[in-house]
Amino acid sequence: GTNGWSAGLLEGILTLASDSTLNITTTNNHDMPNCTLTNNGTVAWASGQIRAGGNPGTFIYNYGLWVAQSDQQLNDAFGGTIGVVFNNFGTFRKEFTSGTTTIASGVTFNNTGKLDAQDGNIALQYAYTLANGTKMSFGLGGSAGNGSISLSGAASFAGSLSVNLNNFFWPAVGSSFNLLNYT
């Protein structure tokens, strides 16, 4: 079913079934130290930062859809030796806002699934792995906004890249777009 998380602490082990949705709402902090979250359904992150980490750490396994619908950050506020590990086997999507969703320092992002930046920017600011088979998808909307991905290191991956046109946008011949930023 549908569940809401408006504030407070999420601890222990939580598994979302394939037909479940977790709505993360309100501008409050959402704390999940020492937590294991396995998403087989949909996590709709609409507001508030997600603070994680601790000992033994926070582990997120996304097999479904994790959709960032705000300009917030997932961070390692509780520290620890491992911190936070986000394993994306499904789709991590950014949509509806033109700002940046940040996977902050202390959060390791391992991707074998799809990074889908429809609007705004997905910023991976710490360690990340873009494994063979990684898919990157970008939305182009012209003046309505484009999607992009920023990497803290080199852009090395073997996978596919796709672009789709949003809001009836049709680029002029010879147009160019900055979709991927890296060192």
Side-chain angles (χ1 to χ4, degrees), residues 64-157:
L65 172 63
W66 185 291
V67 57
Q69 301 170 328
S70 64
D71 303 328
Q72 297 292 330
Q73 71 171 236
L74 168 61
N75 64 43
D76 182 25
F78 298 99
T81 52
I82 295 176
V84 185
V85 179
F86 192 113
N87 295 296
N88 184 48
F89 305 102
T91 299
F92 186 96
R93 177 178 298 145
K94 165 85 168 130
E95 64 183 11
F96 300 144
T97 60
S98 60
T100 299
T101 295
T102 304
I103 307 302
S105 181
V107 180
T108 300
F109 192 91
N110 299 314
N111 188 74
T112 57
K114 183 177 185 179
L115 286 170
D116 184 11
Q118 289 301 304
D119 293 299
N121 182 259
I122 299 170
L124 303 180
Q125 292 186 336
Y126 192 62
Y128 60 88
T129 303
L130 304 176
N132 280 348
T134 287
K135 297 172 187 73
M136 288 190 182
S137 180
F138 301 91
L140 295 181
S143 62
N146 302 313
S148 64
I149 297 172
S150 296
L151 306 173
S152 62
S156 176
F157 69 98

